[in-house]
Amino acid sequence: MQSNEEAFSEAVSLLRSSRWTVVFTGAGVSAESGIPTFRDQLSSLWEQYDPEQLATPAAFRRDPNLVWGWYEWRRALAANARPNPAHLAIAALERYLPHLKLITQNVDDLHERAGSSHTIHLHGSLDAPRCFACARPFNQQRCVAGDTLHIPPPRCMHCNGRIRPGVVWFGEMLPRRELQSAFQAAKACDLLLSVGTSGLVYPAARIPEIARMNGAKIIHINPESAEVSGDCLLRGSAATWMPNLIAKAFL
Ligand code: OAD
């Protein structure tokens, strides 16, 4: 097993020589902005719920107020959060790697707020709600989350259907254009940085697999991830590793 020092110097030289680079992020990149990952123990209000049980069309049909309340809670967290040094370093990477493509599974907008110019969002956005019945977009402004679990979703102005969050739920298709662009970028890259993702949720988890199959090198940044043979693993937090990597590789 490589030590962190060996992995760091390998990662620096991979970054310096990369031309076609993909950064692939998951919930871990926003963890240090105060947004819990899907595997974290939740705060007292939501601790009895499993996020994966709330993120399905069936859960919304069964209890729309609970599911809407959960997403309003996450939306308020994201709105009050700030990009952390990992988001900022990823945005800064574009200056040194002009062909960089950023692909995220996150539904917050912290990459955009950090200055990343174009982010492929595979799982939608907390800020793009639409009607559950007719799919028309809904213009939602304020967050109404407080210390309550159940919040009734607003109603569609056209068909009176319930408004749902604009995120991809388990059992739903990912947006086609985004998925195609992500697969293409993974196929074409020579280096993929996988930052703060458990790599458990498909089809997004195919992205590093496609990159590896096509000869790209992979760097993982994660405090917990298991070692994959041939990949470079930096154990620890994204907000620590990402700025250090850029400083060493390019400054
Ligand atoms: P997960 O919650 O599955 O995994 C988060 C990963 O981040 C874990 O591997 C942690 O070890 C790692 N992590 C935690 N803190 C970190 C830090 N400070 N720095 C770096 N890494 C850290 O999140 P995703 O992989 O994004 O899907 O999950 C993928 C999808 O599963 C999500 O988009 C969501 C979820 O269910 C849907 O909602 C459809």
Side-chain angles (χ1 to χ4, degrees), residues 26-28 31-32 37-39 52 105-106 123 168 170 196-199 201 221-224 236-238:
E32 285 160 284
T37 74
F38 295 88
R39 324 281 146 193
E52 296 197 358
Q105 298 161 89
N106 296 347
H123 289 163
V168 175
F170 287 98
T197 174
S198 57
V201 177
I221 299 184
N222 197 308
E224 279 175 23
S237 101

Side-chain angles (χ1 to χ4, degrees), residues 187-206:
K187 226 172 172 175
C189 72
D190 54 42
L191 175 66
L192 182 141
L193 262 109
S194 161
V195 188
T197 174
S198 57
L200 294 175
V201 177
Y202 283 82
R206 285 202 58 216

Side-chain angles (χ1 to χ4, degrees), residues 173-184:
M173 305 279 279
L174 273 60
R176 200 156 49 108
R177 214 161 1 120
E178 279 77 1
L179 191 61
Q180 264 173 6
S181 311
F183 282 176
Q184 256 167 26

Side-chain angles (χ1 to χ4, degrees), residues 20 25 27 32 40 47 56 69 88 97 123 135 141 145 153 157 173 190 196-197 212 214 225 227 233 238 248:
W20 304 98
T25 66
E32 285 160 284
D40 286 338
E47 68 190 350
T56 69
L88 296 169
L97 300 167
H123 289 163
Q141 267 119 32
M157 280 164 24
M173 305 279 279
D190 54 42
T197 174
R212 194 182 292 110
N214 285 276
S225 161
E227 185 138 330
L233 169 60
K248 186 77 179 173

